[in-house]
Amino acid sequence: MLHDLTALEQGDAVRRGEVSPLELVEHYAGRADAVGAFITPTHEQARDHARRLTEAGRPADAGPLWGVPTGIKDLHPTAGVRTTFGSAAYDDFVPDASDDLVLTVEAAGMPSLGKTSTPEFGSPCYTEPDVAPPAVTPWDTTRTAGGSSGGAAAAVAAGLLPLAPGSDGGGSIRIPASCCGLVGLKPTRGRISGAPRYGDPVGLATAGTLARSVRDAAALLDVLAGRRVGDPFWAPEPSGTFLDACDREPGRLRVARFIAPVIADVDVHPSSVTAWDDASRLLETLGHDVEDVPVPIPREAVADFETCWAVLTALSPAPPGREDRLRPLTRWLGGLGHAVSGPEFGLAIGRLRQHAAVALAALAPYDVVLTPTLARPPVEVGALRDDADPARDFAAQKAFTPWTSAWNVTGMPAVSLPLHSTDDGLPVGVMLAARPAEEELLLSLAAQVESAVPWVDRRPPGW
């Protein structure tokens, strides 16, 4: 079946004329969404795009993913397509312009099959929006796909898309990657432009990639990466393509590792501990030096992160007269954000920068850092959500994701790799992070690790 091929293999089949972009679109459009992957399907628009690609012919400078379909996370405004931001307050909103990521994907010749599901404004680490069914992992459809890129991850893991972009402000790519048994890559701060909205003044969030293999994730990063005029920060140009980096030997690396939770006091599930220990031994077997290090970010950073997170939530208001449609968690976080003064917000951002600088200095002697991705396997739908007590909801999310936001604070690139599973088959991710702007090294190592543990050969039930 076409969906058994990797995204790069599908792109190569298009290049050789063995399959057309329209045939790929039709194949994926015919697969049933039983995992809550999409909020708004766009099959007709995808067919039209695929026909235009076929009529125009493959450009000489086309990338390896030309003609391969994908989806767009519902946080990205898309011209003429309902864009809800995961919120009932925007359930009928249709933008008249697309943001830069959407235009970039279209220009790369990748038809979009729909808006992938996200929780309200991308805030929670579970995807249970009021405008669509919950996004669930295809490994056990009673359990969450994670968030906030849960719909994108569910789609890729269930074979509804070959690969997909996501976004990550505190783990929102890596969390669903771990829940769904995928590669989830958050690039370094500034690697992918936030144009034209630049909606995150703190610098926590970035777009990134979700895929079934490291090479697919790298190829999509090649599509998305790039500086735009007006970007407030940007990463230096890579030495080559990120896809080519996957074929390089990483050399002997110095690996720092820690497992103590960063943002919450929580008992780490045995499966997460085992995955982390096994990954440590694998890295040593591959010739790398693994050393235990203290947690590089102090617990004092948590309050500053939460202040910034609350203000960012307050920057996403409902349309006038629709405030009552917001979820209790959003109203609670937004209320906290509105209570923060301008000087307090500025000081919190400054302290986050200071915490990041201390962490980066402590980790500078190491090439990569190893932690678990999540404190436990994917939990049942509704297990984290608590509309009656949003503070408890937020605390449960922190306990589920006690490491991921650290690398949003530092701006380091980080990847979740599906290296382990529980006895009952649930995926468990392990996270590697590298120095800022060193995605090439990170991808080189990730590809080396993947070749030793080829998770991509596994398929969830119903594949």
Side-chain angles (χ1 to χ4, degrees):
M1 300 293 287
L2 288 171
H3 61 274
D4 289 318
L5 302 176
T6 68
L8 284 166
E9 289 170 341
Q10 292 176 44
D12 192 50
V14 172
R15 181 186 61 80
R16 296 196 307 267
E18 296 174 359
V19 65
S20 72
L22 181 58
E23 287 172 319
L24 280 177
V25 165
E26 293 289 7
H27 175 79
Y28 283 103
R31 290 179 60 76
D33 180 4
V35 291
F38 294 98
I39 288 181
T40 305
T42 56
H43 295 171
E44 284 306 315
Q45 293 94 324
R47 291 183 179 102
D48 289 343
H49 189 184
R51 291 189 189 100
R52 293 196 302 271
L53 293 175
T54 302
E55 291 169 1
R58 182 185 176 87
D61 60 350
L65 295 177
W66 187 89
V68 176
T70 188
I72 300 296
K73 187 175 178 180
D74 206 34
L75 293 184
H76 294 282
T78 305
V81 177
R82 185 177 72 132
T83 301
T84 72
F85 311 107
S87 175
Y90 286 89
D91 61 355
D92 58 357
F93 176 61
V94 179
D96 56 11
S98 298
D99 75 1
D100 189 75
L101 181 140
V102 176
L103 297 175
T104 298
V105 169
E106 290 176 352
M110 301 182 70
S112 171
L113 284 160
K115 306 303 293 290
T116 57
S117 189
T118 186
E120 191 162 70
F121 305 140
S123 178
C125 69
Y126 52 85
T127 302
E128 300 173 22
D130 290 345
V131 291
V136 296
T137 176
W139 298 94
D140 179 348
T141 56
T142 70
R143 296 177 182 270
T144 183
S148 65
S149 304
V156 176
L160 308 181
L161 291 175
L163 76 179
S167 58
D168 191 316
S172 287
I173 287 172
R174 293 156 289 153
I175 295 162
S178 183
C179 290
C180 293
L182 299 175
V183 175
L185 175 64
K186 179 198 84 71
T188 199
R189 180 179 294 139
R191 177 64 67 196
I192 298 173
S193 176
R197 294 187 300 158
Y198 303 115
D200 175 9
V202 183
L204 296 173
T206 178
T209 65
L210 285 149
R212 286 170 42 224
S213 73
V214 173
R215 288 174 57 82
D216 281 359
L220 185 54
L221 180 59
D222 281 322
V223 169
L224 300 178
R227 176 184 174 186
R228 304 291 183 267
V229 174
D231 285 357
F233 32 70
W234 56 88
E237 289 292 321
S239 64
T241 70
F242 294 112
L243 179 57
D244 285 345
C246 297
D247 296 325
R248 299 177 203 155
E249 287 295 323
R252 184 169 181 170
L253 303 181
R254 193 176 179 193
V255 181
R257 75 167 198 164
F258 65 91
I259 197 170
V262 179
I263 67 170
D265 294 316
V266 60
D267 292 330
V268 181
H269 193 274
S271 64
S272 296
V273 177
T274 298
W276 177 75
D277 271 331
D278 287 352
S280 300
R281 284 190 290 272
L282 175 61
L283 289 167
E284 290 174 334
T285 300
L286 293 171
H288 306 298
D289 299 313
V290 180
E291 304 175 33
D292 289 299
V293 299
V295 176
I297 294 182
R299 188 58 63 86
E300 291 76 21
V302 176
D304 295 315
F305 180 90
E306 291 179 0
T307 295
C308 293
W309 196 257
V311 172
L312 292 174
T313 303
L315 294 178
S316 300
R322 289 195 161 200
E323 293 82 1
D324 62 332
R325 299 193 181 194
L326 295 177
R327 287 193 49 222
L329 176 67
T330 304
R331 293 199 298 269
W332 175 75
L333 276 172
L336 294 177
H338 282 293
V340 176
S341 70
E344 289 171 338
F345 182 40
L347 288 170
I349 294 174
R351 287 192 296 267
L352 271 190
R353 297 278 191 270
Q354 294 164 4
H355 295 313
V358 170
L360 290 167
L363 295 172
Y366 302 94
D367 298 295
V368 293
V369 188
L370 171 70
T371 69
T373 305
L374 299 175
R376 60 183 308 105
V379 298
E380 292 184 350
V381 171
L384 302 176
R385 180 171 178 169
D386 192 335
D387 290 351
D389 188 346
R392 185 176 176 181
D393 180 317
F394 194 67
Q397 294 184 59
K398 289 165 57 180
F400 187 49
T401 65
W403 298 282
T404 53
S405 59
W407 311 138
N408 298 87
V409 172
T410 62
M412 296 160 60
V415 62
S416 180
L417 299 174
L419 301 184
H420 187 69
S421 62
T422 63
D423 291 340
D424 52 356
L426 294 174
V428 178
V430 173
M431 186 164 57
L432 291 166
R435 300 184 189 96
E438 293 194 2
E439 287 98 331
E440 291 173 274
L441 177 68
L442 182 63
L443 287 164
S444 174
L445 176 60
Q448 182 190 54
V449 169
E450 182 182 63
S451 68
V453 185
W455 178 278
V456 73
D457 291 338
R458 291 196 61 197
R459 302 289 186 266
W463 177 269

